[in-house]
Amino acid sequence: MSDDVLYLDKIVSSVGATHFISTYYTYCKVVPNIQMTYDMIPEVFNFPKNEMWIQKDLAIRNAKSYISISLNTKRDLLKYYPFIKEEQVGICN
């Protein structure tokens, strides 16, 4: 994962991006991240931590704002990540 972060930082810097929209649990450190959240299934069902779910957690924790695909996903995101403020989460229509 750390190699992915470094690679994304390099790409984002080279194109002068001002934000990075993470659609699959990636993130970068050089610009604000917007996390697109599709579901909270591993959290709801308390799946064992594996590399993919750890990546998802890191991406969520590194985001400055969030996009959720549904109101239910937004509610779950806020439940499992109580440090996120409701106004930080938009919903796709």
Side-chain angles (χ1 to χ4, degrees):
M1 183 65 189
S2 62
D3 288 343
D4 290 348
V5 172
L6 293 173
Y7 184 65
L8 286 170
D9 284 346
K10 185 176 179 178
I11 292 170
V12 167
S13 295
S14 73
V15 299
T18 58
H19 290 81
F20 176 73
I21 298 177
S22 174
T23 58
Y24 194 75
Y25 312 139
T26 54
Y27 65 95
C28 64
K29 293 184 177 182
V30 297
V31 297
N33 293 271
I34 301 167
Q35 175 63 45
M36 173 74 82
T37 305
Y38 299 97
D39 63 61
M40 301 299 291
I41 291 171
E43 294 82 3
V44 170
F45 292 103
N46 198 26
F47 287 173
K49 298 280 185 194
N50 65 27
E51 188 174 326
M52 186 165 53
W53 304 140
I54 292 168
Q55 284 181 245
K56 178 184 180 185
D57 180 70
L58 289 170
I60 290 171
R61 291 180 183 281
N62 279 281
K64 299 295 182 205
S65 57
Y66 307 84
I67 302 169
S68 172
I69 64 159
S70 70
L71 181 56
N72 284 337
T73 299
K74 178 180 178 176
R75 288 179 183 146
D76 287 342
L77 179 65
L78 295 170
K79 176 181 177 180
Y80 291 99
Y81 292 89
F83 63 86
I84 299 172
K85 296 177 178 73
E86 186 170 358
E87 58 270 10
Q88 289 177 278
V89 186
I91 300 173
C92 293
N93 291 326

